[in-house]
Amino acid sequence: MNNGPMLIRPLAHDAATLAALAGLLIETVAHGGSVSFMHPLSGQEARAFWQGSLAAAEQGGRIILGAFTGGALVGTVTLLLDLPPNQPHRAEIAKMMTAVAHRGKGVASALLAEAENLARLHGRSLVTLDTAEDEGAAGFYEKQGYIRTGVIPGFALKPHGGLTGTIIYYKQI
């Protein structure tokens, strides 16, 4: 079923956005997404995380993008801009998530392209990110032109338990 064109826009701090982001985070973690949380993730914990992130976005330290089809949030990515003073040329990608029903439909590619465009507009020439070694999005990021620099073994717990390494990537834009 086609819900119309995808719209990508920066997200604002309001009740509907907070609820949609919390739901997406809970779904992502439940399906094994290594995005800093353990399963089961409570709605309260998910909302608290997004409240803090959206507040940081209001202060200009980050941009949280949402992808929408048919008015529903189907994906998000965060572009971190508030980095140390010796890194004014760098941005970081974080919390890339796509709703399970919308995976493989170009949502993540569109979000990443828009995040890179915004990074350029903010004077950034280097974008970095990390992804889980087990069940992470390494193949996706490599297809998008990100260069793998290495792996830190046993970096974090997977949402359902067990350690995974993290792969560090960069892209000059």
Side-chain angles (χ1 to χ4, degrees):
M1 167 160 131
N2 185 350
N3 293 324
M6 185 173 14
L7 169 70
I8 296 177
R9 64 174 171 80
L11 300 178
H13 195 180
D14 60 62
T17 298
L18 187 60
L21 285 168
L24 181 57
L25 179 57
I26 291 167
E27 178 188 63
T28 299
V29 172
H31 284 85
S34 187
V35 288
S36 304
F37 296 93
M38 299 299 292
H39 178 73
L41 176 62
S42 73
Q44 180 180 357
E45 189 177 1
R47 284 187 302 279
F49 168 76
W50 284 114
Q51 283 176 332
S53 291
L54 290 164
E58 287 176 351
Q59 299 300 314
R62 65 187 63 195
I63 300 169
I64 302 170
L65 294 173
F68 295 84
T69 58
L73 180 72
V74 298
T76 187
V77 69
T78 298
L79 180 68
L80 301 173
L81 298 168
D82 187 16
L83 298 174
N86 68 341
Q87 299 170 39
H89 61 291
R90 185 173 76 83
E92 187 171 332
I93 298 293
K95 301 296 183 271
M96 171 74 80
M97 292 179 261
T98 302
V100 172
H102 293 272
R103 292 182 181 171
K105 298 179 180 178
V107 174
S109 296
L111 283 165
L112 190 59
E114 181 62 15
E116 290 172 0
N117 286 336
L118 289 170
R120 281 184 203 93
L121 288 173
H122 282 84
R124 310 308 163 95
S125 59
L126 178 69
V127 178
T128 61
L129 62 89
D130 68 273
T131 192
E133 184 177 28
D134 298 338
E135 303 173 28
F140 166 75
Y141 289 119
E142 290 170 10
K143 287 178 186 172
Q144 305 303 314
Y146 282 79
I147 299 168
R148 178 182 174 145
T149 64
V151 177
I152 302 171
F155 186 78
L157 291 172
K158 296 184 275 188
H160 295 279
L163 285 172
T164 184
T166 192
I167 307 170
I168 310 297
Y169 285 95
Y170 76 93
K171 182 177 183 180
Q172 293 176 317
I173 57 172

